């Protein structure tokens, strides 16, 4: 195999190379091939090939050395060439600097020469201009305007420039010597000014923007330029207010004029600002005055609605106008325009708002009470009757009959919604129409009116009436409608709280008035909660009183000491059934009337009182063996009713009572075992003894020794 450099190109595998060399050698394959394996021949081939590789290596090494020598030589040549180029570049740079200095020198000379020429030419031009003006001045002095510039209408622009300069010169002349010529120049000045304004007006009517721009540029140096702008503004508004919506017409007018102003006038922002000022001070102010003055005395509600709507639409229009170029401080400019229109109305706004809200709320309440044919009672008058009512509310003393309201709660969600809606509108107007510094104070005053009419005049009054209508605890067949009052008051509280958070809080959240509002709200709610708690407490007393009345009239002594012990059905007594039905009905009413933790709190209190009543009631009787079984049936039924409370404490109390009733039937020898049971072991021994004493066989069986 010939040895060449191409055999060692990448990728090179030495094992494969040796294997291929051995395979090509006769008798050198691993399996011998066609010939037998000949290691000597293979060794000889390897030695020859190694010699070839050495020769190839020497050859390649000589070539590498030759290439390295060539590379070093070319590198030296390249370095010499780079040095020559650097020297040439340095020489060129020096030439460039010299050329630059020479150019600067020439430019300086040219500028100096130009300044000298200008210094000579400017006085010459001034002299020519002065001579020209003196020629025209002589014509005015002679009283004969012969120049074509003053007689040719097409040269009005040139004439205007001349007369404007002559007018300035004439002002410097003494009046006694040049009075006549000054008057002639002034007359011509005003005449040309009038002609230019007329020309501008005519061009505006023809919509010739180029001519308008040309005339406006000439008038810019005249005193009548402001009059030209006024004429332009007046003519822009002709026919612009054809519809009933002044604000929309104004926005469209300003959009149209804004494009034209930039093409006509050199200071469009000034003209645009003057246009908007003219619109605000005339068109909009007249519109606002007409809308508000006609309702200010006759219809306060409509007046407040109009004021809110007009102010809102005016501020919205101002926001649209900020997209135009009106100068550096356009927001302050527009704010002043709005203030000038509404300042007289906004100063008295909050007082009118409060007067209207007070009158409207009183009317809503009075209309409701009139619909109920109810004459509202004065509360807190200090009379003897009021004193008796206060005492009766806070105690259970029978100081006369309660008020019969025929089940009317004197609370109306419709009234509440109307009051809250009026207040919500008031908050919205207050937010829009109040000065930012007065907003928290004004919002707080509206909130106080809401508290006065909703919380005091309506809810608190209904609670007072409801409390006075609660019958005494010993009343029979009492209508306990105070729970309906609680239910409606609870709903109203939620609506009141929602409006407080949604509409009042955003207005006062970052002011000191927040603390006052929260304190007032807490104070009002706490006062009402006291009355609600009092009413609920007395209502629970009435419920217990009604249960006591049922037990007193329906429960017989023979129920627990039947004459025929052998002929008795083991079931709850009639009194127990009626009490349980009554209790279930009242539990359901409590659940409907309250929500959240209040349900559990009230039911817990009712359940405890219910348990106390049954406990005391059972201790009024003596029990035979069969009577004890009937008592256990009653307590089991009471316990079943107690499950409706869904209060663990109440269920536990009745469970303990049920265990106590077992003492009425258990065999005497088992009393100690029963008393040490899980439910009774922690009870007072005297209580257990008292229950055992209710057994008719207490003395015969000498059961007292079990507790000695």
């Amino acid at each position: 195999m010939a040895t060449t450099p191409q055999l060692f190109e990448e990728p090179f595998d030495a094992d494969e190379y040796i294997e291929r060399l051995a395979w090509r050698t006769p008798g050198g394959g691993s399996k011998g091939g066609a010939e037998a394996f000949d290691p000597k021949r293979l060794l000889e081939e390897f030695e020859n090939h190694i010699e070839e590789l050495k020769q190839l290596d020497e050859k390649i090494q000589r070539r590498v050395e030759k290439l390295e020598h060539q590379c070093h030589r070319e590198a030296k040549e390249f370095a010499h060439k780079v040095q020559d180029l650097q020297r040439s570049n340095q020489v060129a740079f020096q030439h460039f600097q010299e050329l630059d200095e020479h150019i600067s020198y020439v430019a300086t000379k040219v500028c100096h020469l130009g300044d000298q020429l200008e210094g000579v030419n400017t006085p010459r031009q001034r002299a020519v201009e002065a001579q020209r003006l003196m020629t025209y001045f002589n014509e005015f002095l002679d009283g004969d305007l012969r120049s074509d510039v003053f007689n040719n209408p097409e040269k009005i622009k040139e004439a205007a420039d001349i007369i404007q300069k002559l007018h300035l010169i004439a002002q410097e002349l003494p009046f006694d010597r040049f009075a006549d010529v000054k008057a002639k120049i002034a007359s011509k000045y005003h005449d040309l000014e009038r002609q230019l304004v007329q020309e501008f007006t005519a061009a505006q009517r023809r919509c010739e923007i180029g001519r308008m721009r040309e005339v406006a540029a000439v008038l810019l140096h005249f005193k009548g330029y402001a009059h030209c702008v006024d004429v332009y503004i007046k003519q822009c508004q002709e026919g612009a207010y054809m519809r009933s919506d002044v604000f929309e017409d104004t926005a469209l007018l300003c959009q149209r004029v804004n494009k034209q102003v930039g093409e006509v006038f050199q200071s469009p922002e000034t003209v645009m600002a003057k246009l908007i000022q003219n619109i605000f001070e005339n068109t909009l102010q007249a519109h606002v005055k007409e809308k508000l003055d006609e309702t200010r005395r006759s219809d306060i509600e409509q007046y407040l609605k109009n004021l809110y709507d007009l102010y809102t639409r005016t501020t919205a229009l101002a926001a649209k106008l900020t997209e135009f170029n009106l100068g550096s401080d356009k927001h302050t400019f527009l704010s002043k325009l709005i203030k000038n229109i509404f300042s007289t109305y906004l100063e008295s706004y909050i007082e009118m708002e409060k007067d209207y809200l007070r009158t409207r709320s009183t009317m809503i309440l009075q209309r409701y009470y009139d619909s109920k044919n109810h004459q509202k009672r004065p509360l807190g008058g200090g009379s003897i009757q009021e004193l008796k009512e206060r005492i009766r509310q806070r105690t259970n003393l029978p100081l006369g009959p309660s008020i019969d309201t025929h089940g009317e709660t004197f609370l109306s969600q419709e009234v509440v919604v109307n009051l809250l809606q009026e207040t919500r509108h008031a908050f919205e107007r207050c937010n829009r129409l109040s000065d930012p510094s007065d907003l928290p104070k004004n919002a707080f005053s509206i909130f106080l009116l809401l508290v006065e009419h909703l919380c005091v005049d309506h809810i608190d009054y209904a609670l007072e009436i409801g409390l006075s209508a609660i019958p005494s605890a010993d009343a029979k067949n009492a209508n306990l409608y105070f729970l309906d009052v609680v239910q409606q008051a609870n709903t109203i509280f939620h609506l009141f709280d929602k409006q407080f958070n949604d509409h009042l809080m955003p207005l006062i959240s970052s002011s000191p008035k927040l603390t006052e509002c929260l304190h007032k709200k807490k104070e009002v709610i706490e006062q009402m909660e006291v009355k609600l708690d009092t009413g609920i407490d007395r209502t629970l007393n009435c419920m217990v009183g009604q249960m006591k009345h049922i037990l007193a009239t329906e429960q017989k002594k023979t129920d627990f000491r039947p004459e025929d012990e052998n002929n008795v059905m083991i079931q709850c007594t009639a009194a127990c059934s009626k009490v349980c039905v009554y209790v279930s009905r009242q539990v359901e009413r409590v659940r409907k009337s309250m929500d959240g933790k209040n349900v559990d709190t009230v039911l817990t209190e009712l359940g405890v009182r219910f348990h106390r009543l049954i406990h005391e009631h059972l201790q009024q009787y003596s029990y035979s063996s069969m009577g004890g079984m009937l008592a256990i049936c009653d307590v089991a039924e009471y316990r079943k009713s107690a499950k409706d409370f869904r209060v663990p404490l109440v269920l536990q109390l009745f469970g303990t009572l049920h265990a106590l009733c077992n003492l009425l039937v258990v065999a005497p020898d088992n009393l100690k075992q029963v008393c040490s049971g899980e439910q009774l072991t922690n009870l007072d021994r005297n209580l257990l003894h008292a229950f055992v004493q209710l057994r008719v066989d207490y003395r015969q069986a000498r059961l007292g020794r079990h507790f000695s």
Side-chain angles (χ1 to χ4, degrees):
M1 182 176 64
T3 305
T4 62
Q6 286 74 18
L7 293 175
F8 302 96
E9 292 180 354
E10 294 293 338
F12 176 74
D13 188 347
D15 293 339
E16 182 183 354
Y17 180 80
I18 298 298
E19 185 66 28
R20 190 165 60 250
L21 179 62
W23 180 75
R24 289 177 178 272
T25 301
S30 58
K31 295 182 180 180
E35 301 179 13
F37 177 68
D38 187 354
K40 291 182 178 181
R41 193 170 182 179
L42 182 60
L43 176 60
E44 181 182 353
E45 183 64 28
F46 278 173
E47 289 175 348
N48 293 334
H49 198 73
I50 289 172
E51 288 298 326
E52 291 178 3
L53 289 175
K54 287 180 180 180
Q55 293 174 4
L56 179 62
D57 180 61
E58 291 175 358
K59 182 180 179 182
I60 292 174
Q61 188 63 33
R62 285 194 300 272
R63 186 177 179 185
V64 168
E65 290 176 356
K66 181 180 179 182
L67 289 174
E68 286 179 350
H69 178 71
Q70 183 181 353
C71 181
H72 287 310
R73 186 180 67 255
E74 291 179 356
K76 288 180 181 180
E77 292 176 357
F78 181 76
H80 290 308
K81 188 180 294 185
V82 169
Q83 289 176 356
D84 293 340
L85 289 174
Q86 286 179 341
R87 283 192 293 270
S88 299
N89 183 58
Q90 189 173 5
V91 172
F93 182 72
Q94 290 174 353
H95 288 309
F96 176 78
Q97 283 184 324
E98 293 174 359
L99 181 61
D100 184 55
E101 291 173 358
H102 186 65
I103 291 173
S104 298
Y105 174 76
V106 173
T108 303
K109 289 292 185 180
V110 170
C111 290
H112 178 65
L113 181 60
D115 292 339
Q116 289 179 331
L117 291 174
E118 185 179 0
V120 173
N121 188 52
T122 300
R124 177 181 171 279
Q125 286 181 341
R126 289 176 180 173
V128 172
E129 180 69 15
Q131 182 182 13
R132 189 169 67 95
L133 291 176
M134 288 172 65
T135 302
Y136 295 131
F137 185 81
N138 285 333
E139 292 184 12
F140 279 98
L141 194 62
D142 297 339
D144 183 16
L145 301 179
R146 301 179 299 275
S147 298
D148 182 59
V149 70
F150 294 121
N151 298 307
N152 189 350
E154 296 181 359
K155 295 185 177 181
I156 189 172
K157 180 178 178 181
E158 185 179 351
D161 179 62
I162 295 171
I163 201 66
Q164 194 266 340
K165 293 177 180 178
L166 289 176
H167 186 262
L168 293 175
I169 294 172
Q171 290 178 351
E172 302 295 329
L173 298 176
F175 182 77
D176 52 349
R177 293 177 56 191
F178 299 96
D180 186 52
V181 71
K182 289 178 72 171
K184 292 177 181 178
I185 292 174
S187 176
K188 189 63 177 177
Y189 178 89
H190 293 303
D191 183 53
L192 281 174
E193 187 179 61
R194 186 181 68 256
Q195 292 180 36
L196 287 169
V197 172
Q198 291 175 352
E199 177 65 21
F200 181 87
T201 304
Q204 185 178 1
R205 287 199 175 97
R206 297 192 300 269
C207 295
E208 296 178 357
I209 302 299
R211 184 58 179 164
M212 290 171 63
R213 179 172 58 251
E214 183 180 349
V215 175
V218 175
L219 276 170
L220 182 63
H221 304 291
F222 281 77
K223 294 179 179 179
Y225 178 72
H227 180 60
C228 172
V229 174
D230 292 338
V231 169
Y232 174 78
I233 289 173
K234 181 180 178 181
Q235 197 160 314
C236 281
Q237 298 180 64
E238 292 180 0
Y241 295 96
M242 303 299 292
R243 297 179 297 178
S244 58
D245 193 339
V246 175
F247 299 96
E248 188 64 27
D249 287 341
T250 299
L252 294 175
L253 170 64
C254 291
Q255 285 180 346
R256 175 171 57 83
V257 172
N258 182 61
K259 299 178 182 178
Q260 192 178 79
V261 163
E263 299 174 354
V264 173
F265 298 97
Q266 294 185 10
S267 55
E269 68 279 358
T270 305
V271 179
M272 198 67 194
K274 196 168 184 179
L275 169 65
I276 292 174
Q277 182 178 358
N278 181 273
I279 293 173
F280 270 73
E281 292 179 350
N282 295 285
T283 307
L284 290 184
Q285 189 159 15
H287 177 72
V288 169
K289 183 176 176 60
E290 178 187 0
K291 287 287 186 180
L292 295 181
D293 287 356
E294 65 183 2
T295 57
R296 190 168 190 175
R297 302 298 179 189
S298 59
D299 190 349
I300 297 182
E301 179 182 7
Q302 191 60 45
Y303 167 79
L304 291 172
K305 289 181 179 178
N306 288 346
L307 178 59
Y308 175 77
D309 180 64
L310 290 170
Y311 189 83
T312 301
R313 299 196 67 187
T314 304
T315 52
L317 174 62
K320 289 182 180 179
L321 298 179
T322 55
E323 67 185 46
F324 304 130
N325 183 11
L326 306 178
S328 58
D329 198 0
K330 52 188 173 184
H331 295 284
T332 304
F333 169 70
L334 292 170
S335 297
K336 287 182 179 179
L337 293 179
I338 295 174
K339 186 177 181 180
N340 291 338
I341 294 177
F342 290 97
S343 58
T344 55
Y345 304 105
L346 297 181
E347 287 173 358
S348 59
Y349 154 69
I350 192 61
E351 293 303 324
M352 298 188 73
E353 183 73 79
K354 291 194 293 186
D355 289 342
Y356 165 72
L357 189 59
R358 189 179 293 109
T359 303
R360 178 67 177 169
S361 300
T362 302
M363 185 193 73
I364 291 173
L365 290 172
Q366 190 58 48
R367 187 170 59 193
Y368 168 72
Y369 293 124
D370 290 344
S371 69
K372 299 294 182 181
N373 295 321
H374 175 73
Q375 183 65 37
K376 199 172 182 184
R377 300 171 55 205
L379 300 177
S383 64
I384 297 298
Q385 182 62 33
E386 292 293 336
L387 179 61
K388 290 171 63 178
E389 182 60 32
R390 297 284 179 178
I391 296 174
R392 195 175 72 84
Q393 288 178 9
R394 288 161 174 75
T395 66
N396 289 321
L397 298 177
L399 298 177
S402 60
I403 299 174
D404 187 6
T405 59
H406 304 288
E408 179 60 55
T409 63
F410 291 105
L411 286 174
S412 168
Q413 286 197 29
E414 181 181 357
V415 169
V416 172
V417 169
N418 288 336
L419 291 175
L420 292 176
Q421 187 174 12
E422 293 292 343
T423 309
R424 178 172 62 82
H425 292 326
F427 281 136
E428 290 174 352
R429 290 192 289 264
C430 177
N431 185 31
R432 175 67 66 181
L433 302 175
S434 295
D435 187 88
S437 60
D438 296 330
L439 177 58
K441 178 182 66 176
N442 293 345
F444 181 64
S445 63
I446 293 174
F447 172 68
L448 291 180
L449 288 174
L450 175 63
V451 170
E452 176 185 348
H453 292 97
L454 175 61
C455 299
V456 178
D457 292 348
H458 190 55
I459 303 177
D460 190 69
Y461 177 76
L463 293 179
E464 290 283 356
I465 295 296
L467 285 171
S468 63
I470 298 176
S472 60
D474 56 354
K476 300 177 182 178
N477 300 319
N479 183 10
L480 304 178
Y481 88 102
F482 189 79
L483 290 179
D484 298 333
V485 177
V486 174
Q487 180 183 7
Q488 293 188 33
N490 188 41
T491 302
I492 293 172
F493 280 153
H494 287 307
L495 295 175
F496 172 75
D497 190 60
K498 187 176 188 307
Q499 182 163 95
F500 183 90
N501 294 324
D502 292 349
H503 296 96
L504 178 60
M505 284 294 289
L507 307 183
I508 61 171
S509 58
S510 57
S511 75
K513 286 294 179 182
L514 174 62
T515 304
E516 291 186 52
C517 286
L518 293 174
H519 176 74
K520 185 64 178 178
K521 176 187 173 186
K522 181 181 178 182
E523 178 185 344
V524 169
I525 291 179
E526 286 178 349
Q527 290 175 355
M528 293 186 183
E529 285 179 345
V530 169
K531 294 181 180 180
L532 287 171
D533 291 344
T534 302
I536 292 172
D537 180 71
R538 294 180 59 222
T539 300
L540 295 182
N541 285 340
C542 288
M543 291 180 181
V544 174
Q546 189 67 24
M547 296 180 214
K548 187 181 295 185
H549 174 69
I550 294 173
L551 292 173
T553 55
E554 299 293 334
Q555 196 83 68
K556 300 175 182 178
K557 291 186 178 181
T558 57
D559 285 346
F560 302 115
R561 293 185 66 180
E563 297 178 357
D564 187 0
E565 294 275 340
N566 297 322
N567 192 21
V568 176
M569 295 184 62
I570 306 300
Q571 61 182 11
C572 62
T573 62
C576 171
S577 298
K578 290 186 177 181
V579 167
C580 289
V581 170
Y582 179 80
V583 168
S584 297
R585 190 163 61 245
Q586 301 312 314
V587 169
E588 188 63 27
R589 288 191 65 185
V590 170
R591 292 195 182 280
K592 289 181 179 179
S593 304
M594 300 178 192
D595 59 3
K597 295 182 179 180
N598 293 330
V599 176
D600 293 338
T601 302
V602 174
L603 288 180
T604 299
E605 183 62 28
L606 177 60
V608 170
R609 297 187 188 189
F610 175 36
H611 168 266
R612 185 184 305 123
L613 172 66
I614 300 302
H615 186 277
E616 294 174 353
H617 173 70
L618 291 176
Q619 289 184 314
Q620 297 175 8
Y621 300 92
S622 59
Y623 301 87
S624 64
S625 177
M626 186 57 66
M629 294 296 295
L630 294 175
I632 290 175
C633 288
D634 279 3
V635 173
E637 193 67 21
Y638 293 138
R639 187 180 182 183
K640 185 178 179 181
S641 294
K643 292 181 180 179
D644 295 338
F645 287 74
R646 302 173 197 167
V647 178
L649 175 61
V650 176
L651 195 59
Q652 179 185 349
L653 290 174
F654 276 95
T656 303
L657 183 60
H658 187 273
L660 282 172
C661 289
N662 287 331
L663 298 177
L664 301 176
V665 297
V666 70
D669 294 337
N670 295 333
L671 277 176
K672 281 191 176 182
Q673 180 182 354
V674 173
C675 289
S676 60
E678 181 180 353
Q679 289 183 303
L680 302 180
T681 184
N682 294 324
L683 295 182
D684 185 24
R685 306 296 288 178
N686 293 328
L687 176 61
L688 300 176
H689 191 190
F691 251 83
V692 173
Q693 285 180 323
L694 301 177
R695 295 171 57 135
V696 295
D697 60 349
Y698 174 74
R699 296 190 182 279
Q700 295 95 336
R702 298 173 61 193
L703 299 180
R705 58 189 174 82
H706 294 284
F707 296 90
S708 58

